[in-house]
Amino acid sequence: MKSFTIKEINTLLNGELIGDTTQKITGPEHIEKASTDQITFIGNKKYVHLWGTSNACAAIISENLNVEPLENRAIIKVKNADLAMAKVLEIFNPSLPQFDVDLHPTAVIHETAKIGANCKIGANCYVGKDVEIGDGVILYPNVAIFDATIIGNRTLVWSGTVIRERTEIGSDCIFHSNVSIGADGFGYRPDSSGLVKIPHIGNVIIGNNVEIGANSSVDRAKFSSTIIGDGCKIDNLVQIAHNCILGRSCIMAGSSGLAGSVTLGDGVVIGGASSIKDHVTIGSGAVVGGGSGVMSDVPAGKTVVGYPATDARDMFRQWVALKKLGKG
């Protein structure tokens, strides 16, 4: 089991150590649940009162909060407790599941595929014709990579993920279990014989440092490309439809979805269970509140909420007015 002294952790965080503890620290935990060998964190004043009754031997505290050390219980003051705790979580992070052999004998790898140095390919994986995989890529068991796909260095793909043909993926990406990349876009047109399927012959292009959560889908374009920019973070159960374009460092929370040909600027935040109408553009830095339905373009930097989504301040005033009417 990993363990660290309070001084070792403070060195990692470059914080201000106040007080001391002789207890070796074996991991982080919520302030209410922590045991005497664990460290906790307080980033908001509403949790300060819990420090006195917590069993944690140490706490990471945002510097704007007033918290005192206790007997054999230390605090580390930092600029941002959430970011500091992320560093602590990293040092206690268990190692990834290990491979007995780098290329499992049950994996099917086409003779034309190019596999980089130090790759690991698990049991029952499929790597198709003309696939190019960079150095240090890890494919856990039961991953399928179809023809002419390109994957950059150090990308990690968890079990059950399917990456369809002609997809282009950058370096240092993470795809969690059962991600679908490059499936057909949802396109049909009515005809006298019924619904006619519209072919989608484009592809998906994904940048560097992109993370896509379990059971999420990114559909390929009708023509051209569906594009996910560098640094985007996609939660579980997210749908990104054909021909969508996401800028850099966008965030989409769980169960949200983009209809076809939506464009997001850089740093857009889409709250959980939000839905975005097709052909809508959301400007850089805009925020869509959870559960909202966006029906029209959103300017850069704007926060919108509700269904249909509108300026957050206007919507909150409407909600207050409706509440007062209900009481009348």
Side-chain angles (χ1 to χ4, degrees), residues 13 44 46 52 61 70 76 84 123 126 129 141 147 165 171 178 199 206 212 220 228 245 256 275 288 293 303 308:
L13 302 180
N44 189 298
K46 70 179 180 180
I61 311 294
L70 301 172
I76 298 175
Y126 172 78
K129 182 180 179 181
D147 299 5
E165 59 275 15
S171 298
N178 302 313
I206 295 175
I212 299 182
R220 70 170 177 258
I228 311 296
I245 298 175
S256 59
S275 55
V288 177
T303 297

Side-chain angles (χ1 to χ4, degrees), residues 124-306:
N124 301 311
C125 287
Y126 172 78
V127 178
K129 182 180 179 181
D130 296 324
V131 168
E132 297 181 19
I133 294 179
D135 297 341
V137 169
I138 298 176
L139 307 181
Y140 277 100
N142 301 306
V143 168
I145 312 293
F146 284 91
D147 299 5
T149 288
I150 299 172
I151 299 179
N153 299 332
R154 298 174 302 279
T155 285
L156 172 62
V157 185
W158 286 95
S159 296
T161 292
V162 176
I163 300 175
R164 290 282 299 274
E165 59 275 15
R166 304 186 308 281
T167 297
E168 299 176 22
I169 296 170
S171 298
D172 300 300
C173 294
I174 301 173
F175 300 99
H176 291 278
S177 299
N178 302 313
V179 166
S180 171
I181 305 293
D184 284 0
F186 188 71
Y188 299 89
R189 291 296 181 269
D191 182 79
S192 57
S193 61
L195 293 175
V196 177
K197 181 177 176 63
I198 305 299
H200 286 69
I201 63 172
N203 73 337
V204 175
I205 298 176
I206 295 175
N208 302 314
N209 294 295
V210 171
E211 185 165 358
I212 299 182
N215 299 297
S216 291
S217 299
V218 182
D219 291 345
R220 70 170 177 258
K222 184 184 299 182
F223 34 75
S224 188
S225 302
T226 302
I227 299 174
I228 311 296
D230 292 349
C232 287
K233 309 301 179 185
I234 311 300
D235 199 359
N236 300 337
L237 297 167
V238 169
Q239 161 68 10
I240 298 174
H242 64 89
N243 288 98
C244 287
I245 298 175
L246 278 64
R248 297 167 59 92
S249 300
C250 295
I251 294 174
M252 293 186 64
S255 299
S256 59
L258 307 180
S261 299
V262 168
T263 299
L264 305 185
D266 296 339
V268 171
V269 177
I270 306 295
S274 296
S275 55
I276 316 300
K277 182 181 177 293
D278 59 297
H279 296 274
V280 161
T281 296
I282 299 180
S284 295
V287 176
V288 177
S292 299
V294 178
M295 303 298 184
S296 57
D297 292 352
V298 177
K302 180 76 74 174
T303 297
V304 296
V305 297

